[in-house]
Amino acid sequence: ILNVEQSPQSLHVQEGDSTNFTCSFPSSNFYALHWYRWETAKSPEALFVMTLNGDEKKKGRISATLNTKEGYSYLYIKGSQPEDSATYLCAFGWTGANNLFFGTGTRLTVIP
Amino acid sequence: NAGVTQTPKFQVLKTGQSMTLQCAQDMNHEYMSWYRQDPGMGLRLIHYSVGAGITDQGEVPNGYNVSRSTTEDFPLRLLSAAPSQTSVYFCASASLGDKRNSPLHFGNGTRLTVT
């Protein structure tokens, strides 16, 4: 079982603020890094899948970067809106196993 | 487009009872999996399948059985429910055989309580 850590566990930001959170994972045997957005009472939805060191992905106001050599990924939200309130999960895939290892998530609350 | 459909949404069982959680997907995904979500823990993989007739264990397989007779369906069976199996269960599917590179599509979850 691999350790995938997300920080912070939760945060509250004001509408319009930009924010970012971190996913840390083992730096060896990297295969892929996933980000999911999970709204209350719904199911997780995929945001990004990244596979190469230095990958940067963007979807609207949300973007992500990947550093496989040091074992971290950042998720950025620019100009947070109340509808961005959700738990953001990252999941790590490595070459030694045929499954993903999920972090416990960062719970974001955007205050209007 | 239904995506991944899980039933039931809620279930209460007594210790020792058995039941099957249903999962169906209409996206022709080869990969299907079952996760459980417990407070303070990340989603943990129970069992997965990379195609009809092929299943394998994940991190926490004990107490659960699966089968994959068709591409569309991947039921999860609890043979003798225990309170430790109280959890929220998610079914997820992905295209291609290597879901590490393909995003997972999740069902809406089943909240199971074992008393």
Side-chain angles (χ1 to χ4, degrees):
Chain A
I1 297 176
L2 300 179
N3 198 24
V4 179
E5 295 187 353
Q6 291 188 246
S7 62
Q9 273 192 316
S10 66
L11 76 162
H12 292 70
V13 301
Q14 292 291 136
E15 182 176 353
D17 287 351
S18 294
T19 186
N20 65 86
F21 8 101
T22 306
C23 173
S24 301
F25 50 86
S27 58
S28 59
N29 301 311
F30 174 87
Y31 195 95
L33 194 286
H34 294 216
W35 280 101
Y36 293 85
R37 168 194 163 89
W38 190 0
E39 292 181 71
T40 303
K42 295 187 177 180
S43 54
E45 291 184 352
L47 287 172
F48 307 114
V49 177
M50 295 185 286
T51 58
L52 297 175
N53 184 45
D55 258 355
E56 293 188 19
K57 301 267 185 171
K58 186 175 181 181
K59 184 183 289 188
R61 294 178 293 99
I62 304 177
S63 60
T65 61
L66 177 66
N67 184 325
T68 62
K69 296 188 187 307
E70 296 182 44
Y72 65 84
S73 175
Y74 293 139
L75 189 79
Y76 300 91
I77 302 179
K78 185 178 177 181
S80 302
Q81 300 297 308
E83 57 265 31
D84 295 328
S85 296
T87 296
Y88 292 84
L89 299 173
C90 71
F92 168 70
W94 71 302
T95 56
N98 196 22
N99 56 291
L100 294 169
F101 294 90
F102 279 83
T104 54
T106 292
R107 184 172 181 84
L108 173 67
T109 303
V110 181
I111 303 164
Chain B
N1 189 1
V4 179
T5 303
Q6 277 184 246
T7 56
K9 286 189 177 181
F10 302 94
Q11 183 70 51
V12 178
L13 292 177
K14 293 188 191 305
T15 297
Q17 287 184 316
S18 62
M19 80 158 295
T20 299
L21 278 63
Q22 302 291 345
C23 177
Q25 52 90 12
D26 62 0
M27 297 173 282
N28 203 32
H29 285 168
E30 297 94 334
Y31 179 85
M32 295 186 75
S33 56
W34 279 101
Y35 287 86
R36 59 179 289 172
Q37 169 72 59
D38 300 296
M41 305 188 78
L43 290 163
R44 292 183 294 167
L45 183 67
I46 304 171
H47 284 284
Y48 67 96
S49 167
V50 296
I54 306 169
T55 64
D56 206 346
Q57 298 181 349
E59 298 172 59
V60 288
N62 292 341
Y64 308 95
N65 273 1
V66 292
S67 60
R68 184 94 180 269
S69 56
T70 66
T71 300
E72 294 78 19
D73 300 299
F74 191 46
L76 178 73
R77 297 184 190 83
L78 282 71
L79 304 176
S80 178
S84 60
Q85 294 178 304
T86 294
S87 187
V88 181
Y89 292 84
F90 286 95
C91 178
S93 71
S95 65
L96 308 177
D98 180 1
K99 84 286 142 250
R100 288 174 295 178
N101 212 0
S102 304
L104 291 172
H105 297 255
F106 286 86
N108 286 331
T110 296
R111 185 174 294 275
L112 175 68
T113 302
V114 183
T115 61

